[in-house]
Amino acid sequence: MNNGGAARLQKRGRVVVIASALMMTTALAPVVLFAPDANAQVSAGGINAEHTFDIPAQSLTSALAQFGVQAGVQVTVDGALARGIDAPTINGTMRASTALEALLRGSGLDYDVTSDGTVVIEAVTSSAGEEVLDTLRVEANAAEASDPTKAITDSFVASRSRTASKTDTPILDDSAAVSVVTEKEMETRNVQDLQQAVSYTAGVQAGEYGSDVRYDYVRIRGFGQTNLGTYRDGLSSRIYNFTTSRPETYGLQQVDVLKGSTSSLFGMNGPGGLVNMTTKRPQDEASGEVLTTFGENHLRGAGDVTGPVGENSNWSYRLTALWQDAERGQDYSQDDRIYVAPAFSYTPNTDTKLTILTSYSDRESGLGYGFPAGIETSRDAFFGEPNFNNFDTEETNIGYELSHQINDKLEFRQNARYTHVDLTYETVYLNDTTPLGNRYAFAIYGELDRFAIDNQLQYDTAINDTFDSKTLVGLDYNRDQNRERRFDGTASPIDPYNPSYCGISCINLNFTSDTEITQAAYGLYAQEQLTIADDWIATVGGRFDYVQSDTDTISSGTTDERDDHKFTSRFGLTYKATNEVSVYGNYSESYQPVYSSLASRPDGVKPQEGTQYELGVKYQPEAIDALFTAAVFDLTQENVSQYDSGSATYKQIGEINSRGLELEGKMSLGEQTNMTVAYTFLDAEIKDDATAANIGNRPANVPKHQASAWLDYTIPGQGALGDLTLGGGVRFVGERQRNDGNTETLPSNSVFDAAINYAVTDDVSLSVNATNLLDREYVSSNTFGSRYYGEGRTVLATLKYSW
């Protein structure tokens, strides 16, 4: 950090910052403050007045910014004074002086009030009369102080994230690549599912199976993350077999993509990374919206209201709800949804906050199909049975997040959730080898119970003038019990060019298995983030996992039991070259158990293990609201499970390496322009394989090049005309191999999206969003003997009233 340098001017919060320096480890947010001193001169106005404060634990610089706005006073502080100091949570109705004293407690800072009511933050003067540093003037509103638990509704850019380190850390300081999709970006693009939310993110390949809508298919850095790499509010939402439910994106306020091996913090996962979704939370200011979305065979109604339960109440609430009656592009498909999510927050004092998060989701949907080789017909054709084409899920969640500031340095956090899912999965599909022969029939009836809890202690302290320490210790526990009854059979033949459906009566099903998978996972982890001389941040972490897995095949009376354990580590170093630029490097590890019958693996079962080396640079300019990142990485996964046709068993001799480059930029220029650009280069290679001929080949479905760009611009309204926003984007996926044998190359494709939004009044807006605007027909993957087509053009209009 260069004292006396230009301070950041962020447009997102309409913030004006006039400063000579800002603390290096903040999000460069403006500051507002107040320190305890009985001799402080107090004006008759704001500093003694009572206000309602909601200031989360964060850097002192950002906390002071929020204090000044919420107390209605102007604050000045020298950036050097606040550097390296964190402030506690302040929440509740109290005098401004009381709130400021709490913020400054233990910081070694004091405050004074000038004759014009300005609050001046200064160092405590010693008995020797040491001089107080020159002050720094900061003016801000609360939107500028970026709290990662708050929704970002006015920018594509997030400055902070809890995902990369499980602590509130500026993205500029994290020694890892993390991309954030804000609520503003999701709303602008009108995302309908998680795949659409992350589709403009560098390093991410989404929608690999096109119109197959059972799951959100996501690859990160070339590795599939669908099964283990999905998290909600920091807690795992793993998929073991078939039973799961897709998240409702209208209930999310943010999606973080953490790239690279993450097991040192999150436990078992693949090497590519993870996706962490943040649920909408109660707000202290009353607001809301109701909307309706309509299109071809699509009707949706939704609403979202939040605010305090009552005047001067310690409780706030949020209710998010959605109803949808819709069909997808393929014949005889559906996408009906009901989603209700009540949430409450309770803040009895400035040190404690409890947020209760609940939700109920009921989805009735079809499956989407791959087209067997030799079938050339409409991509919307349907070869199943209309009355036996269901992927219906019912999900209930109840959880909470608790935080308590034990003292000015030590905080305890606890995050827990219980989930129950019921699945009805019924389908008929063409045999991929004899498309004009009998069809296969298949059914799964599943039930999932999941409990997850994560306990964290964070200790922040300044060791001396050179070292600032942020220590995290955590203990988490996950228990999943997944029971599935399976039926297999056949259905009568069908002519794919002139289908005639026969109904349920032509389906013959036989009971196959009744299986229950129970897994208990225990994790103990620790992390140290040490800031050295303001310019260097060293991150060291380690985690020990112990996993008990029982597969009980009830139908046969057999049980497979397995215990896995693994220690994983992470080392990272960030150098703050300037207050705008950081350079980082990291080493991290992953740990991924293998789930399958032990009988099929005569050589035993070992966890798949991954290692990553990464170098990157991040640039967050002071003059505009933007974040640019670049990263190069080298990922290797070993013990990959591979089928050996010679012995008809699985062997863990596979090894895959993925090296690449990621470039990403996000900008929000004032209230008129938003932009995101991304490019990914992946050099992926099979290093070892049960099939020797595959060694040296490219892994299936991994493109070498991938790119995307989105731009929207608002034309300000004049007179009776409201603002008009025009936006458009393109998503490019390069050539990729159909299989590990590299016997067929799938062509590249480019898909265009568009958006128009018109502000009818200050409170009413009408928008139209189109995905795959040109209705491009392309094959998203060719797997398991079937071609999967990408989804065709979808156009949706939304009328919304906000207050």
Side-chain angles (χ1 to χ4, degrees):
M1 173 99 206
N2 295 324
N3 292 331
R8 180 178 182 189
L9 175 61
Q10 284 197 355
K11 302 296 185 182
R12 184 178 75 226
R14 305 179 191 177
V15 179
V16 178
V17 180
I18 307 168
S20 61
L22 280 178
M23 170 180 139
M24 177 187 68
T25 56
T26 68
L28 300 180
V31 181
V32 184
L33 217 92
F34 163 75
D37 181 4
N39 298 321
Q41 302 172 17
V42 179
S43 67
I47 200 66
N48 275 337
E50 191 170 80
H51 301 276
T52 298
F53 293 93
D54 179 18
I55 305 174
Q58 57 192 299
S59 68
L60 182 58
T61 323
S62 299
L64 288 175
Q66 290 191 342
F67 168 82
V69 173
Q70 296 177 24
V73 298
Q74 181 172 277
V75 179
T76 68
V77 61
D78 190 299
L81 294 177
R83 183 183 303 125
I85 301 175
D86 288 344
T89 299
I90 304 296
N91 199 293
T93 301
M94 66 193 79
R95 288 177 177 267
S97 58
T98 303
L100 186 52
E101 288 170 1
L103 283 174
L104 294 180
R105 187 171 294 123
S107 68
L109 300 178
D110 194 5
Y111 79 96
D112 195 4
V113 182
T114 64
S115 58
D116 65 356
T118 299
V119 176
V120 180
I121 306 302
E122 52 193 24
V124 177
T125 305
S126 71
S127 57
E130 292 175 358
E131 239 179 308
V132 176
L133 296 173
D134 292 337
T135 58
L136 166 71
R137 182 176 299 274
V138 180
E139 302 175 24
N141 67 15
E144 170 59 19
S146 299
D147 174 8
T149 66
K150 299 291 185 182
I152 300 176
T153 59
D154 55 359
S155 175
F156 276 33
V157 184
S159 296
R160 310 178 76 88
S161 171
R162 279 193 181 274
T163 301
S165 62
K166 286 194 175 182
T167 65
D168 178 7
T169 301
I171 293 176
L172 206 63
D173 293 357
D174 271 320
S175 58
V178 57
S179 299
V180 177
V181 184
T182 66
E183 186 172 347
K184 171 67 174 179
E185 182 176 350
M186 288 191 287
E187 181 181 2
T188 300
R189 295 197 279 110
N190 192 26
V191 302
Q192 300 295 299
D193 55 48
L194 183 62
Q195 293 179 149
Q196 290 185 4
V198 299
S199 61
Y200 282 84
T201 302
V204 174
Q205 181 183 354
E208 181 176 332
Y209 292 98
S211 59
D212 182 350
V213 295
R214 295 171 298 166
Y215 309 99
D216 291 295
Y217 299 100
V218 176
R219 282 183 184 266
I220 306 177
R221 294 184 169 176
F223 293 93
Q225 300 300 128
T226 300
N227 289 345
L228 296 179
T230 303
Y231 286 72
R232 183 153 188 164
D233 301 318
L235 298 175
S236 173
S237 297
R238 299 184 178 111
I239 305 173
Y240 292 92
N241 270 357
F242 296 95
T243 305
T244 192
S245 178
R246 299 181 77 184
E248 177 52 63
T249 51
Y250 185 69
L252 305 179
Q253 68 179 35
Q254 184 168 302
V255 176
D256 293 9
V257 180
L258 176 59
K259 303 162 194 176
S261 302
T262 61
S263 291
S264 64
L265 271 181
F266 291 91
M268 50 185 172
N269 205 347
L274 60 85
V275 177
N276 182 36
M277 301 168 286
T278 303
T279 305
K280 287 181 176 178
R281 285 155 164 68
Q283 305 296 307
D284 292 329
E285 293 186 9
S287 64
E289 66 178 30
V290 291
L291 60 87
T292 180
T293 299
F294 48 93
E296 184 179 3
N297 299 317
H298 187 108
L299 181 61
R300 165 185 284 195
D304 183 21
V305 293
T306 186
V309 172
E311 188 175 356
N312 299 324
S313 174
N314 291 329
W315 288 87
S316 56
Y317 76 95
R318 189 160 194 166
L319 178 61
T320 307
L322 177 145
W323 168 88
Q324 179 172 296
D325 183 0
E327 298 178 6
R328 304 190 75 93
Q330 196 168 40
D331 295 342
Y332 300 103
S333 64
Q334 61 180 347
D335 187 12
D336 299 341
R337 311 181 193 179
I338 295 175
Y339 177 78
V340 182
F344 300 91
S345 286
Y346 175 58
T347 50
N349 53 57
T350 58
D351 295 325
T352 305
K353 185 172 185 178
L354 172 68
T355 298
I356 300 171
L357 301 170
T358 69
S359 66
Y360 171 79
S361 175
D362 185 4
R363 297 177 68 120
E364 297 182 359
S365 63
L367 283 79
Y369 285 89
F371 288 67
I375 299 294
E376 300 294 339
T377 185
S378 167
R379 60 182 166 176
D380 297 334
F382 178 71
F383 306 139
E385 286 298 323
N387 295 325
F388 202 75
N389 182 46
N390 304 302
F391 195 88
D392 300 342
T393 58
E394 187 175 12
E395 177 179 356
T396 304
N397 287 287
I398 181 167
Y400 65 86
E401 292 183 350
L402 172 67
S403 64
H404 177 66
Q405 194 73 35
I406 299 172
N407 55 44
D408 59 346
K409 296 182 178 180
L410 184 64
E411 182 185 20
F412 171 72
R413 296 188 294 267
Q414 187 178 76
N415 186 13
R417 183 176 65 240
Y418 168 75
T419 301
H420 179 82
V421 179
D422 288 311
L423 168 68
T424 298
Y425 177 3
E426 300 170 326
T427 182
V428 170
Y429 58 97
L430 281 176
N431 183 343
D432 58 350
T433 56
T434 56
L436 298 182
N438 286 341
R439 294 173 293 168
Y440 285 150
F442 175 78
I444 292 283
Y445 303 99
E447 185 174 328
L448 168 69
D449 287 287
R450 169 182 291 130
F451 176 72
I453 187 168
D454 188 8
N455 304 279
Q456 302 173 8
L457 273 175
Q458 181 176 325
Y459 183 75
D460 298 352
T461 187
I463 300 174
N464 52 39
D465 292 341
T466 303
F467 299 99
D468 291 318
S469 171
K470 183 184 293 186
T471 305
L472 177 72
V473 177
L475 175 65
D476 62 26
Y477 170 73
N478 294 266
R479 185 181 189 276
D480 294 77
Q481 188 172 52
N482 182 7
R483 183 172 182 177
E484 294 178 349
R485 292 181 299 124
R486 175 169 179 158
F487 297 79
D488 289 275
T490 60
S492 299
I494 195 172
D495 183 352
Y497 301 102
N498 185 24
S500 177
Y501 309 111
C502 57
I504 299 294
S505 61
C506 70
I507 301 173
N508 298 303
L509 284 176
N510 296 302
F511 173 72
T512 303
S513 64
D514 185 353
T515 305
E516 183 175 82
I517 299 175
T518 303
Q519 183 185 81
Y522 306 81
L524 176 64
Y525 58 91
Q527 176 183 263
E528 170 63 30
Q529 293 170 280
L530 185 66
T531 301
I532 308 167
D534 295 335
D535 295 329
W536 296 88
I537 304 169
T539 302
V540 180
R543 175 182 172 114
F544 178 79
D545 279 284
Y546 177 68
V547 183
Q548 297 174 313
S549 302
D550 297 336
T551 302
D552 185 8
T553 307
I554 300 171
S555 53
S556 64
T558 61
T559 300
D560 285 338
E561 297 180 353
R562 186 173 73 254
D563 293 346
D564 293 310
H565 56 85
K566 180 67 177 176
F567 179 82
T568 51
S569 60
R570 172 192 178 192
F571 304 92
L573 184 64
T574 301
Y575 173 62
K576 300 294 287 294
T578 71
N579 58 339
E580 297 177 312
V581 177
S582 66
V583 181
Y584 72 90
N586 75 51
Y587 166 82
S588 57
E589 297 174 336
S590 69
Y591 157 73
Q592 182 177 350
V594 174
Y595 302 101
S596 67
S597 171
L598 297 178
S600 67
R601 301 171 188 275
D603 296 331
V605 180
K606 297 182 293 185
Q608 298 178 151
E609 299 178 3
T611 56
Q612 174 189 261
Y613 299 89
E614 179 178 341
L615 295 172
V617 60
K618 303 176 184 180
Y619 172 52
Q620 194 169 22
E622 295 178 337
I624 59 174
D625 183 19
L627 178 64
F628 303 95
T629 60
V632 292
F633 54 87
D634 190 317
L635 274 168
T636 300
Q637 187 178 40
E638 300 175 334
N639 299 334
V640 177
S641 182
Q642 308 246 302
Y643 183 72
D644 184 357
S645 58
S647 62
T649 60
Y650 285 90
K651 294 185 178 181
Q652 291 186 274
I653 63 173
E655 180 178 334
I656 298 174
N657 176 257
S658 177
R659 298 179 296 175
L661 165 70
E662 292 168 352
L663 304 174
E664 184 174 276
K666 290 179 181 283
M667 288 188 290
S668 284
L669 306 180
E671 296 183 328
Q672 291 185 272
T673 306
N674 297 299
M675 185 174 73
T676 177
V677 293
Y679 169 73
T680 306
F681 170 78
L682 277 180
D683 181 17
E685 182 181 351
I686 299 171
K687 293 292 189 178
D688 202 357
D689 197 284
T691 303
N694 291 345
I695 298 175
N697 287 351
R698 189 172 187 83
N701 298 321
V702 178
K704 180 174 288 188
H705 300 282
Q706 193 171 339
S708 64
W710 174 274
L711 174 67
D712 64 76
Y713 179 77
T714 300
I715 304 171
Q718 295 183 354
L721 298 177
D723 293 350
L724 176 65
T725 302
L726 304 175
V730 59
R731 294 171 281 130
F732 168 79
V733 177
E735 293 182 347
R736 55 240 183 263
Q737 297 299 318
R738 172 192 167 187
N739 51 38
D740 289 346
N742 291 185
T743 59
E744 180 182 344
T745 299
L746 300 180
S748 63
N749 62 79
S750 296
V751 177
F752 293 87
D753 306 320
I756 301 175
N757 182 285
Y758 178 66
V760 181
T761 69
D762 290 341
D763 303 321
V764 179
S765 65
L766 176 63
S767 61
V768 179
N769 290 80
T771 56
N772 195 357
L773 178 66
L774 304 181
D775 201 24
R776 170 74 182 273
E777 183 174 305
Y778 63 96
V779 175
S780 57
S781 65
N782 191 341
T783 309
F784 310 118
S786 296
R787 289 169 292 127
Y788 291 83
Y789 286 96
E791 291 204 73
R793 177 171 52 223
T794 301
V795 180
L796 299 175
T798 300
L799 180 65
K800 182 169 71 173
Y801 171 68
S802 306
W803 65 91

